[in-house]
Amino acid sequence: MSVDAPLLRGIHHVALICSDYPRSKAFYSGVLGLRIVREVYREARDSWKCDLEVSPGVQLELFSFPDAPPRPSWPEAQGLRHLAFVVADVDAAVAALAACGVACEAVRLDEHTGKRFVFFADPDGLPIELYEA
C-alpha cells in the first residue's frame, strides 16, 4: 500500500538524550546558538527537557534521563547516524566552533552535489554535520 500524495511535510524536531544536561544545554544554546524555546523538569521521570529552535518550525529536543546507556559506536551504529545543519559558510562556522574549543574534521566536498561539509561532535560524541547552502 502507498499514499497518493506525500504524507510528510517537514521535520518538526529531533530528540537527543544527553549524559550531562547542563553541559549539553550550554553546547547547543551557547556554542551552536540555538534559542531555548522552553525548558521543563519532569519530576516523575527525574528528567529535564529543553526545546531549542534550530530554525522556524524546527526544534531540537534535549533530554536527560538517569542511567541512559551510551551510544554503541560512532558513527555507524544502526539508527540515527548524525545530525546535519545548514550553514551559509562552512569555513566561518569552523572558525566560530574553533574559537569555542570545538574541534572539527577536515572540510570535505560532497561528490554528488558539489557542496562543502564538515563533521564535529557534541559533548556526548554525537556526530554533527554542517552542510554549506
Side-chain angles (χ1 to χ4, degrees), residues 6 82 92 97 132:
H82 63 267
L97 289 169
E132 196 168 71

Side-chain angles (χ1 to χ4, degrees), residues 93-107:
V94 168
L97 289 169
C100 293
V102 177
C104 294
E105 295 180 358
V107 174

Side-chain angles (χ1 to χ4, degrees), residues 92-124:
V94 168
L97 289 169
C100 293
V102 177
C104 294
E105 295 180 358
V107 174
R108 295 187 255 171
L109 186 67
D110 184 321
E111 62 188 61
H112 303 291
T113 66
K115 301 288 186 176
R116 295 164 14 108
F117 65 97
V118 68
F119 279 93
F120 62 98
D122 84 348
D124 287 309

